[in-house]
């Protein structure tokens, strides 16, 4: 057990900073709750990925993995203070320690605890930065500048409204350019935050390309788009709640009718590049044969097989999802970085968009599968130096 009152000195020198951060460069981690870590850790590609544990129990689990299980892969433990508290000008890194430790700096205490359990690099316990709250953002940035430790990952959990227009995006970029070291951007908002504003995807790319060592974590499809655009690293959420941030005090909205929890695991449809509840996916295919998945976890299993939460279907669905993501990641990393990777991602998104009308026609059910808005925007966001296709994706032409 780490004593919160004993803040150990941070490592000094460029070697200490470069060791952990160098290991993160170019990776897409999988972000997960500690309770699901075993389902995830067995499926990731160690040379290209790693684990980002999140929330309650993250540091205990990281310590157990390092000490008792001899886990030697890339491992981060996000305190996720932004889930519970809003950042303010007075307290950008909210106090989260037990009563009695109030004299300690919550930032230093958290970083010390993370280092003590053996994480690859520590992450700041930043509160949620609300839309237009430049005072809280500035306070966090100034504290990071004062810390002056490039081995620390500066967590930047922001409301997606920061990306709503060019003015606010440039303001965000200007602040983040003042800090050295990695900046882990997390987007806040209900459902799919990047679908809220028409230019959010292009502004995210602007952020990644103009802020040195910008990373994108707690993400969905954008984890690939950001990595292709040159992000230091990214993290894909293993569950829907870990693919965005909900502002403290808000209840997560859901597209499920009638409320209640999901009745089946979420399943990634590779050709459509979207997640569906397993039972809903089976209903969409009805009496028609669903695609056979050739990922290394499924080995020929049909995509409509994950119809309930009965064991072992949730574990099998999780393994399928990560196996597909790792396949995409291998393909991306096999391409030279720069414009070639961006073009690969753009082309993949365009092909997925084109699959929707074809699949609906094959099922004779127009509108059964609907293109997610974020996927549409990635499909239209051609790399700046790449030739723009003469025709838009099929789903756009038919609107």
């Amino acid at each position: 057990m780490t004593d919160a009152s004993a803040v150990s000195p941070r490592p000094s020198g460029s070697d200490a900073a470069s060791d952990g951060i160098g290991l993160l460069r170019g990776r897409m981690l999988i972000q997960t709750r500690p309770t699901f870590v075993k389902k995830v850790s067995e499926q990731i590609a160690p040379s290209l990925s790693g684990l980002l544990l999140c929330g309650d129990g993250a540091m205990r689990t990281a310590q157990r993995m390092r000490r008792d299980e001899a886990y030697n892969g890339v491992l981060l433990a996000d305190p996720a203070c932004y889930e519970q508290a809003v950042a303010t000008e007075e307290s950008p890194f909210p106090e989260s320690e037990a009563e009695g430790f109030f004299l300690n700096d919550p930032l230093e205490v958290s970083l010390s605890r993370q280092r003590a359990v053996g994480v690859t690099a520590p992450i700041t316990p930043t509160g949620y930065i609300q839309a237009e709250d430049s005072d809280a953002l500035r306070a966090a940035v100034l504290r990071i500048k004062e810390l002056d430790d490039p081995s620390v990952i500066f967590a930047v959990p922001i409301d997606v409204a920061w990306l709503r227009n060019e003015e606010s995006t440039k303001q965000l970029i200007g602040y983040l350019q003042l800090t050295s070291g990695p900046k882990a951007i997390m987007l806040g908002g209900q459902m799919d935050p990047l679908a809220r504003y028409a230019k959010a995807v292009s502004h995210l790319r602007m952020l990644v390309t103009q802020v040195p060592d910008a990373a994108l974590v707690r993400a969905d499809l954008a984890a690939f788009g950001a990595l292709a655009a040159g992000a230091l690293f990214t993290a894909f959420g293993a569950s829907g709640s870990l693919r965005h941030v909900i502002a403290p005090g808000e209840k997560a909205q859901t597209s499920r009718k009638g409320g209640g929890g999901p009745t089946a695991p979420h399943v990634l449809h590779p050709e459509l590049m979207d997640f569906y509840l397993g039972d809903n996916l089976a209903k969409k295919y009805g009496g028609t044969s669903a695609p056979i998945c050739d990922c290394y976890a499924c080995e020929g299993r049909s995509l409509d097989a994950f119809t309930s939460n009965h064991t072992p279907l949730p574990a099998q669905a999780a393994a399928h999802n990560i196996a597909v993501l790792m396949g995409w990641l291998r393909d991306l990393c096999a391409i030279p970085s720069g414009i070639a990777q961006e073009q690969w991602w753009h082309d993949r998104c365009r092909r997925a968009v084109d699959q929707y009308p074809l699949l609906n026609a094959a099922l004779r059910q127009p509108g059964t599968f609907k293109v997610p808005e974020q996927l549409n925007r990635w499909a239209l966001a051609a790399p700046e130096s790449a030739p723009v296709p003469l025709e838009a994706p099929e789903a756009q032409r038919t609107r």
Side-chain angles (χ1 to χ4, degrees), residues 190-191 252-257 259-260:
Q190 296 286 351
M191 307 291 281
Q253 297 175 6
T254 176
S255 59
R256 294 190 298 274
K257 296 180 180 179

Side-chain angles (χ1 to χ4, degrees), residues 7-319:
V7 179
S8 59
R10 65 175 182 258
S12 59
S14 59
D15 289 343
S18 62
D19 286 351
I21 305 307
L23 287 172
L24 287 166
R25 191 172 298 279
R27 291 178 184 262
M28 188 190 78
L29 312 182
I30 298 297
Q31 191 155 3
T32 183
R33 301 287 183 189
T35 49
F36 299 109
V37 70
K38 286 192 177 296
K39 294 180 181 179
V40 173
S41 60
E42 296 174 355
Q43 304 298 329
I44 62 174
S47 63
L48 302 175
S49 187
L51 294 172
L52 200 173
L53 309 182
C54 183
D56 291 342
M59 282 189 277
R60 279 196 309 274
T61 302
Q63 183 178 49
R64 186 193 73 238
M65 293 177 70
R66 290 296 201 214
R67 183 186 62 192
D68 301 335
E69 301 172 12
Y71 182 80
N72 61 2
V74 167
L75 182 64
L76 303 180
D78 179 10
C81 291
Y82 50 81
E83 293 183 335
Q84 307 297 330
V86 170
T88 64
E89 182 179 10
E90 296 74 23
S91 182
F93 306 104
E95 178 66 58
S96 60
E97 298 303 319
E99 186 177 355
F101 299 120
F102 60 90
L103 294 178
N104 290 312
D105 179 350
L107 174 59
E108 292 279 8
V109 167
S110 179
L111 298 179
S112 178
R113 281 185 158 187
Q114 292 176 61
R115 288 187 171 113
V117 302
V119 296
T120 302
I123 304 174
T124 64
T126 318
Y128 186 80
I129 302 174
Q130 296 176 310
E132 300 182 355
D133 194 348
S134 56
D135 291 337
L137 177 60
R138 181 174 59 249
V141 165
L142 292 177
R143 183 67 181 88
I144 293 300
K145 281 176 62 64
E146 178 187 345
L147 187 68
D148 191 26
D149 187 350
S151 71
V152 170
I153 300 171
F154 175 25
V156 189
I158 53 169
D159 191 289
V160 73
W162 280 95
L163 302 180
R164 69 190 182 283
N165 57 44
E166 191 166 328
E167 181 182 357
S168 57
T169 302
K170 286 184 175 180
Q171 183 183 31
L172 175 63
I173 290 171
Y175 276 123
L176 296 183
Q177 286 176 337
L178 296 175
T179 68
S180 60
K183 278 74 68 174
I185 313 299
M186 311 177 199
L187 299 180
Q190 296 286 351
M191 307 291 281
D192 181 358
L194 280 174
R196 186 187 302 176
Y197 300 107
K199 294 188 176 181
V201 165
S202 60
H203 289 157
L204 174 63
R205 289 173 61 188
M206 183 191 306
L207 177 65
V208 168
T209 56
Q210 294 186 19
V211 175
D213 288 335
L216 180 69
V217 305
R218 203 158 176 143
D220 48 17
L221 285 180
F224 285 94
L227 199 61
L232 176 67
F233 69 94
T234 62
F236 199 108
S239 61
S241 65
L242 292 177
R243 295 180 199 131
H244 60 145
V245 178
I246 299 297
E250 290 187 13
K251 183 178 180 181
Q253 297 175 6
T254 176
S255 59
R256 294 190 298 274
K257 296 180 180 179
T263 54
H266 283 87
V267 180
L268 177 57
H269 194 306
E271 287 73 28
L272 302 183
M273 294 176 66
D274 196 16
F275 287 87
Y276 300 88
L277 289 175
D279 53 353
N280 188 27
L281 189 62
K283 289 177 183 177
K284 286 179 181 295
Y285 277 100
T288 306
S289 297
I292 299 299
C293 183
D294 59 0
C295 78
Y296 60 76
C298 287
E299 296 181 335
R301 184 186 291 115
S302 174
L303 278 183
D304 62 358
F306 310 101
T307 54
S308 76
N309 283 323
H310 295 148
T311 304
L313 293 181
Q316 290 175 347

